[in-house]
């Protein structure tokens, strides 16, 4: 008799099949309309991609770390890894083909800051499990590289857990950067994420968040300061339970041949009464070769909910610009000041002062090229 | 200080200034009075160098230099200041950050040393007290949620901070109650100096009771049609623009 196939192996096998059926997403797939991955990446490249290098730079005491490249995953990894899978072709690919990655577990009431760095091309898989009332800040940084990188992240937040994630991806003109995040947020837990993307050949962060228990919250924010290149945030928040809250605030500044994309879908499931959701996405379009696509979307299946969404794209305000210049501020500096002001409230969502400073630094460098 | 000769200017293809001539010397305060649509605001924007205000004839000479070829920021760093009728609200930029950025941009352009954050704060506090601009206002986004009076006080605070050689005040009295008007006028009067010229643009004589001008010019249909001393303002108030314009014709 054959040895029983582990749950994890079964999920991986399913993921291989899912990727092969779906293939690399192209612009005729609705969710990938503004980010034609197929045009820049072949399926063979995905299947043959190597292992993305990663390093956990700070790890608080009491946080368990397991290297997925080492065999024999412990039970908690076996049980969880891939359990939030099947959100899309690229997510399936990272589960199916990634040869590297790690799993983190934070025990009940544990807390601290975890810094992770991904470098170079390849695929990786990440699992983060927060037990009840654990509170962790996850800071993800990346090096500039060329080639294809695909990272699949699963986040499991237990009751009353707090996870604050920041993803800072520097400008990398020759990088195809995909990150798919799936999160399950239990009762009274709060998941915050900030995505600062300075553009790649194609750069996309996809979030699938389930507010699965009453009182669960998610707060998403992000900035794209693009003087060329592409940056896409596609988020789907499902209010699966009642009395859940979600907010989203995304700001893009695009010049040159840049393209900024935000797609935000909020689903309030049947019976998820008392849910509250707000979405704001704004774009500043500089020059006529840049493009910003903002697509907020609401799907409400419950009766008693509060939902608001808004999206707007504009140019720098001529009156404001004249006012600043009439006070002696040269045009380029005045433009940068207004762009900074436009982006500011989204950057200010970042709680960590040091991360906020790094993001501002990257924003200022990008704006210099735009003003 | 300022010599405007036979100035013609267009806005949206329409000629608004039609041969305006005006001369303001150092140490002098001149008032420009005129009815709505006479070209008062156009004149102030032309002096500040706003885009869309096209000069089609004549000249503007400031301290012997051609002002018309300078960018708005160059004009400011050379000492031209326009207190605007409608100061612009700029969300996301705190008032103090704005003041610091502007002050140092002007200093940099003149080849002077920049002032550090502490120095700027000290300078601003000194000027803010006189204009009753609170610390809390300085921390707020520029002009956002400010009342009409607060906006105008902040304009005069800027004038005190930047110490311009030529200050143009465009309808600084509009939207002010009498207490605010007095406060603003006191701020302006405190800045009268032998090396500074001021051009006070207004519709009503009221402001000129507090900022007493050396000369008064009446602007009508894009030209100065009458000039006189401070008593001309009272004559205007008594007779009305229509009569004065008729008399001048």
């Amino acid at each position: 008799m054959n040895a029983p196939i582990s749950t994890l192996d079964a999920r991986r096998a399913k993921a291989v099949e899912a990727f092969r059926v779906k293939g690399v997403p192209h612009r005729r797939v609705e969710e990938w309309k503004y980010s034609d991955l197929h045009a820049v990446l072949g399926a063979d490249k995905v299947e043959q991609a190597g292992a993305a290098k990663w390093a956990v730079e700070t790890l608080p005491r009491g946080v368990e770390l397991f290297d997925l490249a080492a065999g024999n995953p412990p039970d908690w990894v076996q049980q969880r890894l891939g359990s939030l899978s099947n959100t899309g072709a690229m997510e399936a690919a990272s589960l199916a083909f990634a040869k590297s990655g790690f799993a983190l577990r934070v025990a009940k009431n544990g807390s601290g800051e975890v810094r992770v760095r991904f470098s170079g091309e390849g695929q990786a898989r990440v699992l983060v499990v927060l037990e009840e009332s654990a509170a962790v800040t996850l800071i993800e940084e990346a090096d500039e590289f060329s080639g294809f990188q695909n990272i699949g992240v699963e986040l499991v937040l237990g009751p009353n857990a707090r996870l604050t994630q920041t993803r800072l991806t520097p400008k990398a003109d020759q990088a195809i950067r995909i990150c798919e995040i799936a999160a399950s947020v239990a009762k009274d837990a709060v998941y915050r994420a900030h995505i600062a993307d300075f553009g790649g050949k194609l750069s996309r962060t996809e979030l699938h968040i389930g507010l699965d228990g009453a009182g669960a919250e998610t707060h998403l924010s992000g900035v794209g300061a693009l003087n060329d290149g592409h940056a896409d945030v596609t988020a789907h928040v499902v209010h699966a339970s009642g009395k859940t809250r979600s907010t989203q605030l995304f700001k893009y500044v695009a010049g040159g041949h840049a393209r900024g994309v935000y797609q935000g879908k909020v689903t309030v499931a049947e019976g998820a009464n008392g849910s509250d959701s707000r979405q704001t996405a704004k774009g500043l379009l500089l020059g006529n070769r840049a493009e910003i696509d903002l697509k907020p979307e609401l799907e409400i299946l419950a009766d008693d909910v509060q939902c608001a969404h808004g999206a707007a794209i504009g140019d720098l305000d001529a009156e404001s610009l004249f006012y600043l210049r009439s006070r002696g501020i040269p045009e380029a500096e005045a433009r940068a000041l207004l762009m900074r002001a436009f982006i500011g409230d989204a950057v200010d969502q970042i709680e960590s002062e040091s991360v906020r400073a790094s993001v501002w630094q990257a924003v200022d460098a990008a704006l210099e090229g735009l003003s | 200080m300022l010599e405007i000769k036979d100035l013609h200017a267009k806005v949206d293809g329409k000629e608004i200034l039609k041969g305006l001539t005006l001369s303001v010397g150092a140490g002098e305060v001149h008032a420009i009075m005129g009815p709505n649509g006479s070209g008062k605001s156009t004149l102030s924007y032309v002096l500040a160098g706003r885009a869309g205000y096209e000069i089609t004839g004549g000249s503007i000479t400031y301290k012997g230099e051609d002002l018309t070829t300078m960018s708005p920021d160059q004009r400011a760093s050379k000492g031209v200041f326009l207190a605007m009728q409608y100061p612009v609200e700029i969300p996301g930029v705190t008032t103090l950050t704005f003041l610091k950025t502007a002050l140092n941009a002007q200093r940099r352009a003149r080849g002077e040393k920049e002032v550090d954050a502490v120095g700027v704060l000290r300078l601003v506090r000194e000027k803010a007290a006189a204009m009753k601009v609170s610390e809390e206002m300085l921390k707020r986004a520029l002009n956002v949620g400010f009342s009409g009076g607060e906006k105008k006080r902040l304009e005069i605070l800027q004038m005190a901070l930047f110490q311009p050689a030529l200050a143009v005040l465009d309808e600084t009295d509009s939207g002010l109650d009498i207490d605010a008007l007095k406060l603003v006028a006191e701020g302006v009067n405190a800045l009268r100096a032998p090396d500074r010229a001021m051009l006070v643009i207004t519709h009503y004589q009221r402001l000129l009771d507090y900022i007493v001008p050396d000369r008064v010019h009446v602007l009508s249909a894009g030209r100065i049609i009458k000039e006189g001393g401070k008593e001309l303002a009272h004559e205007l108030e008594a007779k009305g623009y229509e009569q004065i314009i008729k008399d001048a014709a």
Side-chain angles (χ1 to χ4, degrees):
Chain A
M1 232 174 91
N2 291 335
I5 297 174
S6 77
T7 327
L8 179 53
D9 288 341
R11 285 187 195 127
R12 279 197 171 123
K14 219 174 131 190
V16 172
E17 206 189 315
F19 175 74
R20 289 190 177 147
V21 169
K22 289 179 179 170
V24 176
H26 49 74
R27 63 190 160 79
R28 286 182 304 278
V29 176
E30 183 63 21
E31 306 88 79
W32 290 82
K33 187 177 167 188
Y34 306 111
S35 303
D36 191 350
L37 187 59
H38 195 277
V40 292
L41 187 72
D44 54 334
K45 285 260 169 52
V46 178
E47 294 211 17
Q48 289 151 22
K53 287 196 196 74
W54 59 269
V56 172
E57 293 176 343
T58 62
L59 188 69
R61 272 165 62 130
V63 176
E64 228 173 308
L65 175 69
F66 176 76
D67 185 342
L68 294 179
N72 295 326
D75 281 352
W76 63 273
V77 176
Q78 286 270 3
Q79 275 169 22
R80 296 291 195 184
L81 192 67
S83 67
L84 299 177
S85 187
N86 280 325
T87 52
M90 296 314 291
E91 188 275 335
S94 75
L95 179 63
F97 310 117
K99 293 172 189 72
S100 79
F102 60 90
L104 278 176
R105 181 162 68 163
V106 188
K108 187 175 174 182
N109 296 322
S111 68
E113 182 180 289
V114 179
R115 275 182 188 262
V116 187
R117 179 174 292 271
F118 287 98
S119 43
E121 47 183 337
Q123 304 197 76
R125 191 80 190 178
V126 174
L127 168 70
V128 177
V129 179
L130 269 65
E131 307 279 15
E132 188 178 341
S133 300
V136 165
T137 302
L138 180 66
I139 298 166
E140 184 193 325
E141 286 161 316
D143 292 321
E144 199 187 322
F145 68 99
S146 337
F148 164 62
Q149 186 187 70
N150 183 31
I151 299 167
V153 181
E154 284 171 90
L155 308 170
V156 182
L157 281 76
N160 200 39
R162 300 272 180 283
L163 178 61
T164 300
Q165 182 183 14
T166 313
R167 199 173 133 74
L168 170 56
T169 51
K171 181 168 156 53
D173 292 336
Q174 293 309 314
I176 298 166
R177 218 163 35 199
I178 309 292
C179 177
E180 310 233 351
I181 298 168
S184 166
V185 187
K187 182 176 181 294
D188 296 325
V190 182
Y191 171 56
R192 287 175 195 276
H194 184 92
I195 294 115
D197 195 334
F198 298 93
K201 188 174 184 180
L202 191 150
S203 185
R204 166 149 158 149
T205 303
E206 200 169 311
L207 300 116
H208 295 265
I209 299 162
L211 299 175
D212 296 332
E217 293 183 19
T218 188
H219 303 285
L220 310 177
S221 60
V223 294
L226 313 166
N227 48 22
D228 247 328
H230 167 281
D232 171 344
V233 170
T234 294
H236 186 192
V237 176
V238 179
H239 290 255
S241 192
K243 296 199 171 76
T244 46
R245 283 186 60 208
S246 70
T247 62
Q248 297 186 48
L249 176 61
F250 286 87
K251 294 279 180 86
Y252 286 92
V253 178
H257 289 91
R259 184 169 204 174
V261 180
Y262 163 80
Q263 304 183 97
K265 185 174 177 181
V266 173
T267 301
V268 182
E270 208 173 313
N273 291 322
S275 293
D276 191 323
S277 150
R278 343 233 126 210
Q279 260 177 293
T280 304
K282 284 184 181 168
L284 197 55
L285 201 54
L286 309 167
N288 46 22
R289 289 165 306 170
E291 182 171 329
I292 296 176
D293 304 289
L294 306 176
K295 189 181 163 197
E297 210 180 328
L298 272 172
E299 182 183 40
I300 303 174
L301 307 168
D303 308 321
D304 171 27
V305 294
Q306 290 208 11
C307 293
H309 67 179
I313 298 174
D315 194 355
L316 283 177
D317 179 47
E319 254 189 85
S320 303
L321 200 56
F322 170 66
Y323 189 81
L324 296 176
R325 295 188 69 194
S326 78
R327 268 49 181 156
I329 303 172
E331 186 172 12
E333 201 181 341
R335 290 175 67 88
L337 194 64
L338 291 176
M339 288 188 248
R340 225 173 178 272
F342 171 81
I343 273 182
D345 56 349
V347 178
D348 287 342
Q349 302 291 311
I350 302 171
E351 286 175 352
S352 155
E353 209 171 303
S354 68
V355 177
R356 207 164 56 229
S358 316
V359 170
W360 270 128
Q361 211 173 9
V363 166
D364 285 338
L367 295 188
E368 210 165 289
L370 283 167
S371 51
Chain B
M1 181 78 72
L2 179 70
E3 290 281 345
I4 304 175
K5 278 190 188 144
D6 193 31
L7 185 66
H8 293 253
K10 274 184 181 173
V11 185
D12 292 330
K14 194 179 166 210
E15 188 167 55
I16 306 288
L17 299 183
K18 302 168 183 170
L20 187 146
T21 297
L22 179 70
S23 172
V24 185
E28 296 174 359
V29 174
H30 288 222
I32 303 237
M33 299 185 70
N36 291 333
S38 58
K40 297 195 299 294
S41 282
T42 299
L43 174 62
S44 69
Y45 284 140
V46 165
L47 288 172
R50 185 171 183 157
Y53 290 72
E54 189 198 348
I55 294 172
T56 52
S59 65
I60 308 174
T61 312
Y62 165 72
K63 288 186 169 176
E65 280 188 273
D66 180 4
L67 192 69
T68 62
T69 57
M70 296 180 205
S71 68
D73 39 296
Q74 279 174 326
R75 297 178 200 210
S77 57
K78 283 179 185 281
V80 178
F81 178 81
L82 169 63
M84 293 196 195
Q85 183 179 4
Y86 303 109
V88 181
E89 297 187 6
I90 305 186
V93 178
T94 67
T95 304
L96 193 59
T97 302
F98 158 72
L99 293 174
K100 179 174 183 264
T101 309
L103 181 70
N104 280 328
Q106 293 189 21
R107 294 182 68 92
R108 212 164 45 234
R110 290 192 295 262
E112 296 165 10
K113 204 168 161 270
E114 291 188 31
V115 184
D116 64 14
V118 179
V120 172
L121 189 61
R122 193 167 39 81
L123 272 174
V124 170
R125 275 186 179 149
E126 197 182 291
K127 313 293 183 196
M131 292 318 297
K132 294 194 177 161
V133 169
S134 66
E135 292 271 320
E136 187 263 332
M137 268 172 76
L138 295 172
K139 283 180 193 153
R140 266 151 59 186
L142 182 59
N143 288 319
V144 177
F146 287 23
S147 70
E150 286 173 333
K151 285 179 183 168
K152 296 298 171 75
R153 268 147 54 199
L154 189 67
E155 294 290 288
I156 306 307
L157 183 155
Q158 290 176 51
M159 184 173 151
L161 185 67
F162 303 147
Q163 298 279 322
L166 172 67
V168 180
L169 285 76
D170 186 12
E171 308 250 0
T172 294
D173 50 336
S174 71
L176 294 188
D177 63 28
I178 195 71
D179 292 337
L181 183 71
K182 277 186 183 169
L183 186 69
V184 163
E186 274 168 31
V188 172
N189 286 330
L191 291 166
R192 292 178 91 137
D195 55 354
R196 180 172 294 134
M198 293 191 199
L199 201 54
V200 180
I201 296 173
T202 182
H203 187 100
Y204 302 105
Q205 168 262 334
R206 188 179 72 153
L207 178 68
L208 305 179
D209 284 344
Y210 300 96
I211 305 171
V212 181
D214 300 303
R215 299 288 296 165
V216 174
H217 310 260
V218 180
L219 182 64
S220 170
R223 298 178 62 201
I224 303 292
I225 55 153
K226 195 174 165 97
E227 292 189 30
K230 61 186 179 207
E231 63 288 344
L232 179 56
H234 293 277
E235 192 188 334
L236 262 173
E237 191 73 10
K239 288 187 178 171
Y241 282 113
E242 218 171 300
Q243 191 58 44
I244 295 277
I245 292 164
K246 241 184 234 167
D247 292 352

